[in-house]
Amino acid sequence: ALPTTALLLVFTLLFALLLALLLPAQAGAQKRRNRGAAPPTPVVVSAVERSRDAPTATYTGLIAPQQTALLSVNVAGRVKTVLKKEGDFVTQNEVLALLENPSLKLDLGVVKAQLKEMLATLAQQRLKQQRAESLYQKNLASKESFENESAAMAVVEARAATSRATEKRLRDQLAMMTVRAPIGGQVVKASLSVGQWVTSSSSIYEIYNYERFEVVAGVPGRYVASLPPSAAVMIAVPELGLTLKGEVLAVVRHVEAASGKFMVRVGLDNTARMPLSGLMASVEVPLGRAELLVTVPRDAVVRNGERTHVVVVRDGVAAVVSVTLRGNLGDRVIVEGTGLQPGEQVVVRGNERLTNGAALQVTGTLVDTVDST
């Protein structure tokens, strides 16, 4: 019995020694495995929302005055006085400059003298015609004599009428020596100086009316049938940090072959005379009728080349959902994605390198909502 007891004791000691050797090794291996596992990624999330509205997209264009005037003279002349220069504001029909043309003045003097002579001759001939008519009626003069005097008076009347027309033409031309503003606005270019001789081919003034502007933007041809002919739009002017209200004035439904775009004219009022002329603007235009749209914050969309996706938080891990962008809705983006449901949480910060199944730790929620239905 003693040898059996001793043998059991030896085996027990050996087993205990083996456990003492194996347990620390297993614990170390477990620690190493724990150190190799990636910790949850901290992320900020926001809700997927559904709204009833029209999709929009933003395109750029140049702001230009809706009404401009480029002045040239109808009659050549020498600049006598310059009343308005670049930068001056003018009202419609206000005098901008005075010209003179000595030759026209001389011609007018000659024509006025000729007309005076013609009128005197006409008065004398009228008396002759009346006398001939009286004698003819009394059978004291021949019919031929009366007709000759009447014909002579018709000739003098025609010459007088020609002189009157010439006088009016010269007076009108001299009136054009006073250059007036055809529209109200600001003089942006004045190309004349005192003593300068200007001709009808010379552009002397350029005036812009700053009370009404328009932006012409190019829109991709695929939207040519869906963009409404009139709608309220928002216009952003980055250089001035302004966001203004405008309206679609016209949609030119012709897609240009070179650019693949069609033109949209957007108007905006500028009664405050803000310095908008020549600046670039971003126009957010509607691309269809109002409908139920699924939207996410802009920062939720991850672009990888031509592909786009969002990362949805599902059961504490990341689920990558491919989406198609349909446009903008305020500060959010309209998306289409299989299985993407309103109310789900999408990652808006920390989503750049997330993959399917990555553990997530939500550290905050971004409040970014639009009116939803």
Side-chain angles (χ1 to χ4, degrees):
L2 182 59
T4 302
T5 302
L7 185 59
L8 289 173
L9 181 61
V10 170
F11 277 119
T12 301
L13 291 174
L14 290 173
F15 183 70
L17 179 62
L18 182 60
L19 286 177
L21 292 173
L22 290 176
L23 287 177
Q26 291 176 349
Q30 183 63 39
K31 289 181 179 180
R32 288 192 295 273
R33 284 194 297 272
N34 290 340
R35 286 196 299 269
T41 301
V43 294
V44 176
V45 299
S46 183
V48 178
E49 298 183 354
R50 182 165 58 187
S51 301
R52 181 174 294 278
D53 213 320
T56 63
T58 302
Y59 304 99
T60 59
L62 192 68
I63 303 176
Q66 196 172 43
Q67 189 180 38
T68 64
L70 185 64
L71 273 71
S72 59
V73 295
N74 293 323
V75 182
R78 182 180 296 108
V79 179
K80 180 180 179 182
T81 306
V82 178
L83 299 175
K84 297 296 180 180
K85 298 182 179 179
E86 293 176 354
D88 290 339
F89 282 92
V90 298
T91 58
Q92 186 175 12
N93 209 38
E94 186 173 357
V95 177
L96 305 176
L98 299 175
L99 308 182
E100 60 182 358
N101 190 319
S103 178
L104 286 179
K105 283 188 176 182
L106 290 175
D107 290 344
L108 178 60
V110 171
V111 171
K112 288 172 67 176
Q114 290 176 346
L115 179 59
K116 185 177 180 179
E117 181 181 353
M118 287 292 176
L119 293 177
T121 303
L122 178 61
Q124 184 180 14
Q125 185 60 39
R126 184 174 290 113
L127 290 175
K128 289 183 178 180
Q129 191 266 347
Q130 290 174 351
R131 189 183 308 112
E133 182 180 10
S134 177
L135 292 175
Y136 170 68
Q137 290 176 349
K138 295 177 181 179
N139 293 322
L140 298 177
S142 65
K143 181 180 179 181
E144 182 180 2
S145 175
F146 166 64
E147 290 177 346
N148 287 340
E149 294 298 338
S150 297
M153 189 182 73
V155 171
V156 177
E157 285 180 338
R159 290 176 179 174
T162 300
S163 296
R164 286 195 186 96
T166 303
E167 181 192 31
K168 184 179 183 305
R169 175 177 58 81
L170 292 172
R171 287 186 184 277
D172 290 344
Q173 289 179 334
L174 287 171
M176 293 176 187
M177 298 290 99
T178 301
V179 182
R180 298 181 181 272
I183 62 172
Q186 187 180 37
V187 177
V188 297
K189 187 176 182 181
S191 304
L192 73 170
S193 56
V194 175
Q196 176 185 355
W197 184 264
V198 294
T199 63
S200 57
S201 61
S202 304
S203 173
I204 57 174
Y205 276 104
E206 194 167 349
I207 301 173
Y208 289 175
N209 187 326
Y210 290 152
E211 294 183 359
R212 180 78 173 170
F213 282 95
E214 69 176 42
V215 183
V216 179
V219 179
R222 61 181 177 273
Y223 299 122
V224 70
S226 57
L227 199 148
S230 62
V233 298
M234 299 305 296
I235 302 170
V237 187
E239 287 87 345
L240 301 181
L242 296 175
T243 300
L244 307 171
K245 293 182 180 180
E247 59 180 342
V248 175
L249 299 177
V251 179
V252 183
R253 300 194 187 277
H254 167 73
V255 180
E256 296 180 355
S259 64
K261 297 180 179 181
F262 62 98
M263 297 296 107
V264 177
R265 290 177 49 229
V266 176
L268 67 153
D269 291 325
N270 184 39
T271 54
R273 287 186 175 179
M274 291 181 289
L276 302 176
S277 184
L279 298 179
M280 294 298 297
S282 299
V283 182
E284 188 174 359
V285 296
L287 299 179
R289 296 181 178 180
E291 57 181 305
L292 283 175
L293 307 170
V294 176
T295 67
V296 299
R298 295 180 189 274
D299 291 341
V301 178
V302 181
R303 291 174 172 80
N304 184 9
E306 296 182 355
R307 298 181 178 180
T308 53
H309 70 265
V310 297
V311 179
V312 184
V313 180
R314 292 174 178 168
D315 297 326
V317 297
V320 177
V321 178
S322 297
V323 294
T324 301
L325 306 184
R326 290 191 53 200
N328 306 319
L329 185 59
D331 294 331
R332 297 174 69 85
V333 181
I334 303 166
V335 296
E336 288 182 351
T338 304
L340 190 62
Q341 297 296 325
E344 288 190 301
Q345 301 293 318
V346 289
V347 180
V348 293
R349 294 176 187 169
N351 54 357
E352 293 83 3
R353 298 181 181 179
L354 293 178
T355 58
N356 273 314
L360 303 177
Q361 178 185 4
V362 177
T363 61
T365 301
L366 179 67
V367 179
D368 179 20
T369 62
V370 296
D371 295 334
S372 60
T373 59

